[in-house]
Amino acid sequence: MARGSFPILFITATRIGDAVLSSGLIKRLADEIPNARFTIVAGPAAAPLFADLPNLDRLIVFEKAKNGSHWFDLWRQVRRRKWGLVVDLRGSGLSRFLSTRRRAVFRKATGEPVHKVMEAARTLRIEDEPAAPYIFTSLETEALAAELTQGYGPILAIAPAANWIGKTWPAERFSQVALRLLGPGGPMRGGRLMILGGPEDSKVAAQLKDVVMRKQLIDLTGGTDLLVAHAALKRARLYIGNDSGTTHLAAAAGVPTLALFGPSDERLYAPWGEHARVVRGPRSFEQVKNADPALSQQVCHMMDLSVETVAKAAEALLAETEPARRETKHG
């Protein structure tokens, strides 16, 4: 650690989406504390998001142990350093047993539901100016993404999977929307299709590959690095996906983002950003929850969201974010 640096221990989430939504706090701290050095603690799925963070001293993959020893194991790894700040978004008592000048520990608020970005902002007491999600990417990562996305025509990015069947819109409906947007007469006609997802999503993603010719397909399913996927999303014209970590990555990348919601509460989990939108079927979150109180049934709660509804929302978002219109609005 460099002399005169300000060491920050930042304990973030296990899930990708939650980690993205709170990632803006790191950017805010890096901007406001020029000599900050970071040790990031994250779950196995989310940890790769922080690999390109400037001034990163250490990235600790925090895995839950069956015997409950994971917090003790983490304490042993970080106890010897004198910290300038410990930010604990998991709300544990770990910071009380560490030497630190300041602690910022998440505490769940009571009352009306609050968006996860605002929850994170409360931890640092910056609710008046919440930190928008931000993921750092290196020049090497950006170069890899540029290589993967080279070609001509606007890119429609789609992530058709989710971590639970209940919030997974049928793949064939994604295909129909993609055909409408990319086909003759569509607002993105002649464009390309980017498909995103993990190794476990390959079967779902395969159902979209016939929408365009091979030269128009950018297949980022399988082993694509999370940071490379995020950088590739910066080059997309529009993103459509379920409530998932990829959707939050897309919104953080600044691409116009259309999130499809059903058994998810948009008050907490809507993608965050000026050009991020949520669309759902005729039922509210409360109505879906009444049908499945524990949100655990292995049935799809997205069937009442029609292709027409999603296509019209996508077309409206494309029109709203058309480059010439955006320049006029901000000029």
Side-chain angles (χ1 to χ4, degrees), residues 108-125:
K108 191 169 182 63
T110 57
E112 289 297 311
V114 175
H115 195 281
K116 292 297 180 180
V117 169
M118 290 301 297
E119 274 193 355
R122 285 179 176 176
T123 306
L124 289 186
R125 300 179 181 177

Side-chain angles (χ1 to χ4, degrees), residues 12-28:
T12 187
T14 296
R15 295 188 296 183
I16 293 171
D18 289 330
V20 172
L21 288 172
S22 60
S23 63
L25 297 187
I26 299 174
K27 176 69 161 57
R28 181 68 60 84

Side-chain angles (χ1 to χ4, degrees), residues 156-158 169 171-184 186-195 208 210-212 238 240 307 310-311 314:
L156 170 62
I158 288 180
W169 204 47
E172 61 270 18
R173 299 192 185 184
F174 277 108
S175 294
Q176 292 177 55
V177 171
L179 283 168
R180 176 162 163 172
L181 297 177
L182 295 170
M188 298 181 67
R189 55 189 174 277
R192 295 172 288 161
L193 176 64
M194 177 193 295
I195 309 175
L208 278 76
D210 292 334
V211 169
V212 294
L238 177 70
I240 306 174
V307 170
V310 174

Side-chain angles (χ1 to χ4, degrees), residues 130-187:
Y134 187 92
I135 302 297
F136 288 92
T137 51
S138 66
L139 293 175
E140 292 79 7
T141 295
E142 293 290 341
L144 281 171
E147 183 178 346
L148 288 170
T149 57
Q150 63 182 338
Y152 301 96
I155 297 174
L156 170 62
I158 288 180
N163 63 357
W164 172 45
I165 191 174
K167 58 181 183 180
T168 305
W169 204 47
E172 61 270 18
R173 299 192 185 184
F174 277 108
S175 294
Q176 292 177 55
V177 171
L179 283 168
R180 176 162 163 172
L181 297 177
L182 295 170

Side-chain angles (χ1 to χ4, degrees), residues 43-280:
L49 291 170
F50 306 100
D52 283 354
L53 174 64
N55 301 325
L56 178 67
D57 278 339
R58 189 178 179 191
L59 180 56
I60 299 175
V61 179
F62 184 62
E63 248 180 307
K64 188 174 182 178
K66 290 183 179 180
N67 62 2
S69 64
H70 44 285
W71 284 110
F72 180 70
D73 291 340
L74 177 60
W75 174 77
R76 287 192 303 177
Q77 294 183 69
V78 300
R79 67 186 176 89
R80 295 186 184 278
R81 179 168 289 183
K82 292 185 177 179
W83 301 98
L85 170 66
V86 175
V87 179
D88 182 2
L89 296 180
R90 295 186 183 224
S92 76
L94 178 71
S95 64
R96 289 182 292 174
F97 302 97
L98 298 175
S99 174
T100 181
R101 290 167 56 185
R102 183 185 168 196
R103 298 169 179 83
V105 181
F106 169 76
R107 294 287 180 261
K108 191 169 182 63
T110 57
E112 289 297 311
V114 175
H115 195 281
K116 292 297 180 180
V117 169
M118 290 301 297
E119 274 193 355
R122 285 179 176 176
T123 306
L124 289 186
R125 300 179 181 177
I126 56 171
E127 302 99 307
D128 292 341
E129 194 179 348
Y134 187 92
I135 302 297
F136 288 92
T137 51
S138 66
L139 293 175
E140 292 79 7
T141 295
E142 293 290 341
L144 281 171
E147 183 178 346
L148 288 170
T149 57
Q150 63 182 338
Y152 301 96
I155 297 174
L156 170 62
I158 288 180
N163 63 357
W164 172 45
I165 191 174
K167 58 181 183 180
T168 305
W169 204 47
E172 61 270 18
R173 299 192 185 184
F174 277 108
S175 294
Q176 292 177 55
V177 171
L179 283 168
R180 176 162 163 172
L181 297 177
L182 295 170
M188 298 181 67
R189 55 189 174 277
R192 295 172 288 161
L193 176 64
M194 177 193 295
I195 309 175
L196 302 104
E200 68 280 4
D201 304 326
S202 56
K203 289 184 179 179
V204 177
Q207 299 180 54
L208 278 76
K209 292 181 179 180
D210 292 334
V211 169
V212 294
M213 294 184 291
R214 183 174 297 181
K215 66 180 181 180
Q216 295 172 283
L217 179 66
I218 304 168
D219 184 3
L220 299 187
T221 59
T224 304
D225 180 89
L226 272 178
L227 289 176
V228 173
H230 175 66
L233 281 164
K234 296 178 186 179
R235 294 156 170 80
R237 176 65 183 88
L238 177 70
Y239 168 90
I240 306 174
N242 302 303
D243 172 29
S244 67
T246 308
T247 294
H248 294 299
L249 268 182
V255 59
T257 297
L258 185 64
L260 315 186
F261 272 46
S264 302
D265 191 343
E266 56 266 49
R267 294 172 297 179
L268 278 69
Y269 290 108
W272 187 274
E274 181 184 358
H275 302 301
R277 303 288 183 270
V278 167
V279 62
R280 60 164 57 251

